Amino acid sequence: SLDGFNELFSKICSESKNFTKIKVGLEAIGHYSYNLLCYLLDKGLPTFVINLYRKSLILRQTKTNKVDAMTNA
């Protein structure tokens, strides 16, 4: 929702006013991330969509946020 987008943007801005030091990465989840991507780009934040390829990095082929965070680091 727009309220959620605004809340996220406020939290990002509270970390640094200098957008050159901030990079936002979004998981490529199809059309679900397009609105947020456009919102953040319109606000001037460098935002990237990341296509996660981690099957070769783990033995268990399950998707978890913890595994995704480690492969994006």
Side-chain angles (χ1 to χ4, degrees):
S1 70
L2 182 56
D3 289 338
F5 290 0
N6 289 329
E7 183 179 346
L8 175 63
F9 184 71
S10 293
K11 286 181 181 183
I12 292 170
C13 288
S14 72
E15 295 298 318
S16 176
K17 298 294 180 190
N18 185 352
F19 287 169
T20 62
K21 295 184 177 188
I22 297 174
K23 292 177 182 60
V24 179
L26 299 177
E27 181 179 359
I29 54 173
H31 68 278
Y32 298 107
S33 59
Y34 292 156
N35 288 338
L36 180 56
L37 173 65
C38 292
Y39 175 86
L40 294 174
L41 289 172
D42 284 346
K43 292 289 190 180
L45 285 171
T47 307
F48 305 89
V49 177
I50 302 166
N51 187 8
L52 297 177
Y53 177 75
R54 59 180 167 67
K55 288 188 177 186
S56 64
L57 300 176
I58 59 172
L59 296 175
R60 214 170 102 209
Q61 301 299 312
T62 58
K63 177 179 175 19
T64 67
N65 289 333
K66 184 177 181 179
V67 170
D68 289 345
M70 294 303 295
T71 59
N72 287 336

